[in-house]
Amino acid sequence: MRPAEAVASARGGERPARAGPPGGALPRYAEALAAAAAASALRLLLEPLLDGQAPFHLALLATAWAAARGGFGPALLAGSAGLAVAAFALLPPRWEFAVSDTAQRNGALLYAATAFAIASVGGRLRAARARAEAALAARARAEHALSGEEAHTRAILDLSPQVLWTARPDGGMEDFAERWLAWTGLTRGRALADGWARVAHPDDAPMAAGAWRRSVETGEPCDVEHRVRMADGSFRWMRSRAVPRRDPATGAVLRWYGTTEDVHDRRAAEAALRESEARLRLFIERAPAAIAMFDAEMRYLAASRRFLLDYGLPVGDTDALTGRGHYEFFPEIPARWREIHRRVLAGETLSAADDPFPRSDGRTDWIRWEMAPWHRADGSVGGALLFSEVVTARVEAERALAESEARFRAAIAFAPFPILLHAEDGEILQASEAWQEISGWSWPEDIPTIADWTERAYGERRDDVRADIDRLYALDRRVDEGDYAIRSKHDGPRVWSFGSAPIGRDARGRRLVVSMAADVTDLRRAEAVLRRTLAEQGAVYASAPVALGLHDRDLRFRAVNSRMAALNGLP
């Protein structure tokens, strides 16, 4: 009987099909006819010995066999066939379907009734047997399926990374997955007895046992983390959880269902994360730069002491800042900065070298900053990191330096005499207007470099003059260079007297020299005229026929000719 048929029969539904040989009902009827034929043939063979006695006994045996094999229908067929053969061949008159003797007719009726009873009872017995066999088969299949399901379930549980276990209402261990034995190296018997106490870490056992005892007493779920000694002797952190299954009617605990999960790696990762966060917080707090870390709502997560000092935050330490909003401390932040925050929290990295930051007290600080997003493990933006430096002092110093340099360059540009500022790589940084007017060479159009100046002003002597200029960059004091003949653009040859001095290095590290010149062309011409005049006077003194002398107011001779010297006994 199939499981569905067995269920239907048990519920009083359809009668199950009768058992029999394969192939359906026809073979059962054929077997019944064969049995009846065999019994009739045997009775005919025994007729000489029996002489008309017991004409129905073998037919009844065939009917009983047919009932056992095929049920009611085949048995009735076998009985009918036996009755027909007996009436035709054994009861007088023979070879006719007529029974003349009343006793024999009664015997035939008794046979028919007995055969019918045998068929009916045999059919019912066979049906009962079939139902019993079907029930046994269904039970066997159910037990097999249950055994397979249990094996399947246990295999799944054993493959689980967690150890699943059950306990009695009093807390005693009842069953567990095989993984527990692999973990601890215990035998099943030892594990069911006192195995947990054997493998619990001594420092954790009182706490874990107390938590389990309270759950058993109160019926509340249990959740505890503890260490377990593994088979290799090492200890690993576990998380054990258990919940009760209760009787729906009384609420009493029927069984505990629990899991034990290896959380050692998770705890190690959490510990490493805590250490990393502590290092990061310490780094940020002690960093010499102004650093602040925000969440996605611009609330402080961490900040350096320098940040607190630079921005004058009214908190005692960085911990007091954690969780408070940035705009709470800086309500004066303009919309431009709020837009910067929005863009960074959207994933951009922004920066500025010198950014003005108007403060609520009216002053303006200058900030050099960079702001970048930080990301969570899933890649989403978790907040922002701000690296900043208050560079107000530097900006003001640079401005003062720029103003001083501007004044210095103006002093050079508008000086009433030629001045040239040049670097050791040959670049001319500034030429005064007097230099350009007197020489006729414009800066920077005509003379952007010393090479251009020496080419135009000195011609063939340019290399010698360039060597003299190169020596100036090694000076450590002012030096008078003397006269140099130059060639002006419009007035031809002129004489300049040069003096130079070192003035340090520029921002690029180049040595700088300032050279000043005086146009002594007219002076040198006057001196030449004077020298010629004096020479002519000397010639007159020397050739005069009389004694001549030149003396000062104290009558001391300054110059005499030979006659005057001889007259006065002078050498």
Side-chain angles (χ1 to χ4, degrees):
M1 181 184 294
R2 296 186 297 272
E5 295 172 339
V7 171
S9 176
R11 295 179 179 176
E14 298 182 45
R15 290 176 59 192
R18 291 180 173 87
L26 184 60
R28 294 199 301 272
Y29 283 93
E31 284 185 353
L33 286 175
S40 297
L42 180 60
R43 177 62 185 80
L44 289 173
L45 290 174
L46 295 175
E47 176 56 21
L49 297 176
L50 297 177
D51 190 21
Q53 299 298 316
F56 303 111
H57 287 69
L58 292 178
L60 288 175
L61 290 175
T63 300
W65 184 88
R69 288 285 295 172
F72 177 78
L76 187 61
L77 177 62
S80 298
L83 178 60
V85 171
F88 182 75
L90 297 176
L91 297 179
R94 292 187 177 186
W95 314 116
E96 294 182 10
F97 285 106
V99 179
S100 59
D101 186 74
T102 301
Q104 292 176 343
R105 186 183 299 115
N106 291 336
L109 292 175
L110 180 61
Y111 163 78
T114 304
F116 182 83
I118 290 174
S120 179
V121 172
R124 291 184 181 182
L125 289 175
R126 182 190 175 279
R129 186 188 66 183
R131 286 195 297 271
E133 290 176 351
L136 290 174
R139 180 177 178 180
R141 287 194 298 270
E143 290 178 349
H144 179 73
L146 180 60
S147 176
E149 188 66 25
E150 289 179 350
H152 175 70
T153 302
R154 181 165 291 278
I156 292 176
L157 296 182
D158 288 341
L159 287 175
S160 172
Q162 301 177 346
V163 170
L164 283 78
W165 50 269
T166 59
R168 297 186 299 274
D170 63 0
M173 188 63 66
E174 187 177 59
D175 195 12
F176 46 79
E178 291 295 322
R179 186 179 295 272
W180 180 252
L181 303 180
W183 277 358
T184 61
L186 296 173
T187 63
R188 177 167 289 274
R190 177 62 70 186
L192 287 172
D194 60 348
W196 189 89
R198 288 178 172 270
V199 297
H201 193 284
D203 295 341
D204 302 336
M207 175 271 299
W212 177 233
R213 184 171 56 255
R214 285 191 298 273
S215 293
V216 171
E217 293 172 353
T218 63
E220 295 297 322
C222 182
D223 189 343
V224 64
E225 293 192 3
H226 55 90
R227 283 165 289 181
V228 169
R229 186 180 68 246
M230 308 302 283
D232 61 0
S234 64
F235 283 92
R236 292 185 68 84
W237 280 98
M238 303 288 173
R239 181 185 183 186
S240 293
R241 291 176 288 178
V243 294
R245 182 169 69 87
R246 298 179 181 273
D247 187 319
T250 64
V253 174
L254 300 177
R255 179 176 290 171
W256 287 91
Y257 294 88
T259 63
T260 297
E261 175 186 5
D262 188 329
V263 295
H264 193 86
D265 294 338
R266 188 209 73 196
R267 288 183 64 106
E270 290 174 348
L273 178 61
R274 288 193 296 271
E275 292 177 4
S276 177
E277 289 177 344
R279 288 194 298 268
L280 176 61
R281 183 176 293 276
L282 181 63
F283 168 76
I284 291 177
E285 182 179 345
R286 300 299 177 89
I291 303 174
M293 187 176 186
F294 305 93
D295 64 13
E297 301 298 327
M298 288 301 294
R299 292 186 294 259
Y300 286 96
L301 299 177
S304 66
R305 294 178 179 177
R306 172 55 59 187
F307 187 89
L308 270 62
L309 293 174
D310 283 355
Y311 293 96
L313 294 179
V315 293
D317 54 40
T318 57
D319 290 336
L321 193 67
T322 303
R324 301 178 66 177
H326 185 56
Y327 304 136
E328 174 185 345
F329 294 100
F330 300 103
E332 72 274 17
I333 285 182
R336 181 179 68 87
W337 263 99
R338 294 175 186 262
E339 175 62 15
I340 289 172
H341 297 162
R342 186 196 65 77
R343 290 172 60 186
V344 171
L345 291 174
E348 293 187 60
T349 297
L350 303 174
S351 63
D354 299 317
D355 207 5
F357 181 27
R359 305 301 298 269
S360 57
D361 59 3
R363 62 190 175 88
T364 297
D365 275 333
W366 290 87
I367 310 297
R368 180 169 63 89
W369 58 269
E370 179 174 326
M371 199 169 190
W374 61 267
H375 296 83
R376 301 186 181 94
D378 61 2
S380 62
V381 174
L385 277 169
L386 174 62
F387 305 88
S388 66
E389 179 184 3
V390 177
V391 293
T392 304
R394 177 181 62 77
V395 170
E396 292 177 350
E398 289 176 351
R399 286 185 172 182
L401 178 61
E403 292 174 359
S404 175
E405 184 175 352
R407 289 192 297 269
F408 175 69
R409 287 184 175 273
I412 291 177
F414 301 117
F417 48 85
I419 299 179
L420 192 72
L421 178 63
H422 49 100
E424 63 180 321
D425 63 356
E427 181 184 3
I428 296 177
L429 305 178
Q430 183 80 38
S432 67
E433 293 182 359
W435 187 292
Q436 299 175 67
E437 290 174 358
I438 297 174
S439 69
W441 304 111
S442 298
W443 173 83
E445 291 81 5
D446 296 330
I447 51 171
T449 67
I450 291 296
D452 295 307
W453 163 250
T454 55
E455 175 69 29
R456 286 171 168 76
Y458 298 102
E460 295 180 355
R461 296 180 294 116
R462 60 183 178 276
D463 293 337
D464 294 336
V465 175
R466 180 64 183 275
D468 292 341
I469 294 174
D470 288 342
R471 284 191 288 270
L472 299 177
Y473 301 113
L475 294 175
D476 57 1
R477 64 184 185 279
R478 178 181 175 277
V479 65
D480 291 325
E481 302 170 64
D483 293 352
Y484 282 82
I486 70 166
R487 182 175 61 211
S488 67
K489 186 174 182 179
H490 304 297
D491 299 334
R494 302 195 66 81
V495 178
W496 283 11
S497 180
F498 288 92
S500 297
I503 59 170
R505 297 176 182 268
D506 65 3
R508 294 161 55 183
R510 299 179 299 178
R511 292 176 293 184
L512 305 180
V513 168
V514 59
S515 296
M516 294 169 283
D519 189 327
V520 294
T521 305
D522 294 340
L523 176 61
R524 296 297 181 256
R525 290 174 180 172
E527 290 175 346
V529 170
L530 178 59
R531 285 194 297 273
R532 287 197 300 271
T533 300
L534 292 176
E536 292 174 354
Q537 290 177 353
V540 170
Y541 280 174
S543 61
V546 295
L548 296 175
L550 180 65
H551 57 83
D552 58 21
R553 66 179 59 188
D554 295 324
L555 299 180
R556 290 192 294 270
F557 285 107
R558 294 299 182 185
V560 295
N561 62 3
S562 58
R563 291 181 181 274
M564 177 62 76
L567 181 63
N568 291 281
L570 298 175

